[in-house]
Amino acid sequence: MSLREPLVVGAFRAAWRFARVVPEDVAVTASRRVADRLARRGGPRVEQLRRNVAHARPDAGPAELDVLVRDGLRSYARYWLDAFRLPGWTRERTVGTVRMDHGEQLRAALADGRGAIGFLGHLGNWDHAAAWSATELAPVVTVAERLRPEEVYEEFLAFRRSLGVEVLPLGDPATFGTLLRRLRAGAFVPLLADRDLSAAGVEVDFLGERVRMAQGPAALALATGAPLFPFGLFHEVAGGRRVLVIDVGPQVPVPDRRPDETSREHRRRAVAQMTQACADALAAVVVAHPDEWHVLQPVFGQG
């Protein structure tokens, strides 16, 4: 363990306790002030967010980008605040502050026991969406990057289990096989796929550039026959309440195999086309809600 790791664990636990014990309005105000301070101070992560958001709004001038970065950091801080407080929410709040749009195909697939796969970006609050889905749709199984320090990773596993979500480790050779079994048993498998963390991703066009995104969602759909849906997550205020909108895109079709294609060639082409369809759907949501795209790491120039 490095000398820095105990500090990270301590800071994480302090933030977790603070978010849970103070009144919500106080915590929201504090999170916004922290976000605004970070926006003014800048730094590598803030500048990376600025570069990412600029791809969604290429005509934005410096002043508009300043506002988008500030709002993006406020949204990201609110994500963490809500995530820390989620285990203490009532079922009524967890369920009652979510609206799913265009989810008929998804519900039908899960009701038939076929399982379903979601292609998600780092938008809105995916932990809240997963908690809602575990209650309202089907058992939820997903994959997460193994964080350092290990204690923080274990805390997050316990947190997501408390929401009814099974989390499998990214990079474990057994993970893909487990996902296959869970899908065949009727589970819902939403996967964050807008960043390729495996070095085995697929090149796609995204917001005017070539980038790499995870191939897992398309590969699982091909292997199991479970339908693949792109998802958009963003917030609206309705009736005085902040509501998480889960916007389900149309099912992504599997391309027909060409007469001259081998099965391997068809799989490679199908994964690329299906991932591109998901990237197109994600791009539309990011353009509409750039402040809710929580990516402070490099995305562009990685293709």
Side-chain angles (χ1 to χ4, degrees):
M1 177 183 291
S2 70
L3 294 176
R4 181 172 174 270
E5 287 191 7
L7 297 177
V8 173
V9 174
F12 171 81
R13 287 177 173 164
W16 195 296
R17 285 195 298 271
F18 172 82
R20 289 185 177 188
V21 301
V22 303
E24 184 165 353
D25 58 344
V26 174
V28 169
T29 299
S31 71
R32 177 172 287 210
R33 287 176 177 170
V34 169
D36 290 354
R37 189 176 303 119
L38 289 173
R40 290 192 298 269
R41 189 172 66 189
R45 289 292 184 93
V46 175
E47 289 307 308
Q48 184 62 62
L49 177 63
R50 187 184 186 91
R51 288 192 291 272
N52 291 343
V53 169
H55 282 81
R57 296 289 172 86
D59 297 328
E64 184 179 350
L65 283 175
D66 286 344
V67 172
L68 288 172
V69 169
R70 182 205 65 192
D71 289 350
L73 290 170
R74 286 179 176 180
S75 174
Y76 191 41
R78 184 60 185 267
Y79 158 74
W80 282 107
L81 174 61
D82 286 349
F84 286 146
R85 296 179 70 96
L86 255 174
W89 286 5
T90 63
R91 183 185 184 280
E92 189 280 331
R93 178 168 183 181
T94 301
V95 173
T97 53
V98 173
R99 186 183 82 236
M100 186 167 73
D101 292 344
H102 312 114
E104 296 81 7
Q105 284 185 307
L106 172 65
R107 286 189 183 277
L110 293 171
D112 289 345
R114 291 184 287 148
I117 304 156
F119 184 108
L120 280 69
H122 287 77
L123 281 157
N125 189 322
W126 49 94
D127 286 310
H128 187 186
W132 178 88
S133 298
T135 299
E136 298 297 299
L137 295 178
V140 174
V141 185
T142 191
V143 175
E145 180 183 10
R146 186 176 290 275
L147 302 173
R148 293 295 300 263
E150 185 72 17
E151 287 179 73
V152 171
Y153 177 70
E154 292 297 332
E155 294 258 10
F156 265 100
L157 286 185
F159 156 64
R160 285 170 174 143
R161 288 190 197 106
S162 75
L163 303 178
V165 179
E166 180 182 3
V167 181
L168 305 174
L170 179 70
D172 188 319
T175 290
F176 193 80
T178 302
L179 290 173
L180 294 178
R181 292 192 294 275
R182 298 293 189 269
L183 280 166
R184 288 166 179 152
F188 175 41
V189 177
L191 299 170
L192 289 165
D194 53 345
R195 292 178 58 226
D196 174 39
L197 301 176
S198 68
V202 181
E203 275 202 18
V204 295
D205 291 313
F206 181 66
L207 297 175
E209 282 202 27
R210 297 291 286 175
V211 306
R212 300 189 76 87
M213 292 191 177
Q215 67 166 316
L220 283 167
L222 288 170
T224 62
L228 169 63
F229 301 93
F231 279 65
L233 303 176
F234 52 89
H235 289 89
E236 292 181 352
V237 176
R241 299 186 89 183
R242 188 168 180 264
V243 174
L244 176 67
V245 179
I246 303 176
D247 191 17
V248 186
Q251 180 180 340
V252 177
V254 177
D256 292 333
R257 182 173 168 180
R258 296 169 181 164
D260 60 340
E261 276 186 320
T262 66
S263 59
R264 180 176 295 182
E265 289 168 343
H266 174 253
R267 180 190 179 281
R268 186 182 301 114
R269 181 173 63 86
V271 165
Q273 289 187 14
M274 294 169 75
T275 305
Q276 182 64 66
C278 291
D280 292 342
L282 175 63
V285 181
V286 172
V287 168
H289 305 277
D291 58 309
E292 298 230 38
W293 191 37
H294 305 142
V295 179
L296 281 69
Q297 298 84 13
V299 174
F300 304 95
Q302 307 295 303

